[in-house]
Amino acid sequence: QVQLVESGGGLVQPGGSLRLSCAASGSIFGISDMDMGWYRQAPGKQRELVAHISPSRTPTYADSVKGRFTISRDNAKNTVYLQMNSLKPEDTAAYSCSAGYGRVGSYWGQGTQVTVSS
């Protein structure tokens, strides 16, 4: 069974940056064949897929973060990252890592809180 553990959340001012990490374990095959993604959910709002990266490293982004966030993966470290720049208050949410074979959603981390406020 795959376990995902996020880290890197915190409190930042508008315009600031954070890098989230998601470390995967529990599979002898690692993450190289898995789709990986970052979701976020703010209170009272629907969970949103923020960024996705395929096994071929092709990234996709929600329109709300396009140009500001970058997803990447280091398969040797079984880790996926989300670099978040030019953060806005509306980026405030609980961010969760997800993974799966062919699509995300099969495995989930516990989440890490990102708060953007002055």
Side-chain angles (χ1 to χ4, degrees), residues 50-105:
V50 173
H52 167 270
I53 187 165
S54 71
S56 66
R57 301 181 186 268
T58 301
T60 57
Y61 301 96
D63 288 342
S64 57
V65 308
K66 197 170 299 181
R68 300 187 297 119
F69 290 11
T70 302
I71 189 170
S72 62
R73 64 194 299 158
D74 186 336
N75 291 341
K77 295 182 178 180
N78 293 135
T79 301
V80 63
Y81 305 95
L82 185 67
Q83 179 67 47
M84 304 184 295
N85 298 326
S86 301
L87 283 162
K88 305 174 181 179
E90 49 263 47
D91 295 319
T92 296
Y95 285 72
S96 298
C97 179
S98 185
Y101 294 100
R103 59 163 291 172
V104 298

Side-chain angles (χ1 to χ4, degrees), residues 26-41:
S27 174
I28 192 172
F29 301 106
I31 68 167
S32 61
D33 293 331
M34 302 185 75
D35 287 84
M36 308 290 295
W38 288 94
Y39 288 80
R40 69 184 183 188
Q41 187 167 26

Side-chain angles (χ1 to χ4, degrees), residues 2-6 22-23 37 95-99 107-112:
V2 176
Q3 295 89 45
L4 305 174
V5 179
E6 303 98 332
C22 173
Y95 285 72
S96 298
C97 179
S98 185
Y107 308 101
W108 293 88
Q110 83 289 348
T112 185

